[in-house]
Amino acid sequence: MIILFSMERSQQYMQLLCHADISMSSDDGSNDNDKTSINVTIMAERPKVKRPPLYKVIMLNDDFTPMEFVVHVLQSYFRKSEEEATQIMLHVHQRGVGVCGVYTYEVAETKASQVMDLARKNQHPLQLQLEKE
């Protein structure tokens, strides 16, 4: 935004107000103070935006959900490669829990809900939890 002023002695005031370097220039090239304008570029500071908290989607082990189904879910809903999905599935199987992904709350909640709905439709007791990172 460019603001034009035609005031005498406003250079110092505008420098203090805008925290900007202000140079005096004349519109017609003359040194007449009545026609002197000040070109000021005001740069608004960007507001500091706080990053939203992240949540881990954690899969719990059970003895009934097939490993192939777990790999399919990890690939389809959490965008894991077949190798990554298999590693996570084995981790869940061996240690009882595993992290599927880390997302903002809304995304994590949606993914967990979609996966659990799919598991119920396929009659699997698969459980997912959210945990703040």
Side-chain angles (χ1 to χ4, degrees):
M1 173 189 333
I2 303 288
I3 302 171
L4 298 176
F5 291 93
S6 297
M7 294 181 264
E8 195 172 310
R9 295 186 196 160
S10 61
Q11 182 177 7
Q12 291 175 348
Y13 174 72
M14 290 305 296
Q15 282 177 331
L16 292 173
L17 181 66
C18 299
H19 304 290
D21 289 331
I22 300 171
S23 59
M24 303 287 282
S25 63
S26 177
D27 292 328
D28 62 358
S30 69
N31 290 332
D32 188 1
N33 285 338
D34 291 337
K35 294 184 180 180
T36 301
S37 65
I38 300 172
N39 296 325
V40 179
T41 303
I42 300 176
M43 303 290 285
E45 286 187 36
R46 284 186 154 181
K48 293 186 179 181
V49 179
K50 185 178 176 184
R51 290 188 163 253
L54 297 177
Y55 289 80
K56 294 185 244 180
V57 179
I58 297 175
M59 184 177 288
L60 305 177
N61 187 40
D62 64 69
D63 294 331
F64 304 103
T65 304
M67 292 180 179
E68 296 80 16
F69 181 80
V70 172
V71 170
H72 167 73
V73 162
L74 290 167
Q75 287 178 306
S76 301
Y77 290 91
F78 298 98
R79 297 182 182 223
K80 303 296 181 186
S81 67
E82 186 173 358
E83 184 178 318
E84 287 177 305
T86 302
Q87 287 176 352
I88 294 169
M89 177 272 298
L90 289 173
H91 188 272
V92 170
H93 182 68
Q94 294 167 353
R95 300 198 180 164
V97 295
V99 177
C100 301
V102 180
Y103 309 95
T104 60
Y105 181 77
E106 292 80 10
V107 174
E109 185 179 44
T110 301
K111 287 183 180 288
S113 176
Q114 289 173 340
V115 169
M116 289 176 60
D117 287 346
L118 180 66
R120 299 298 165 268
K121 286 179 187 173
N122 288 282
Q123 300 179 344
H124 300 305
L126 184 65
Q127 291 290 313
L128 297 167
Q129 293 179 345
L130 303 184
E131 182 180 297
K132 195 169 187 176
E133 190 170 56

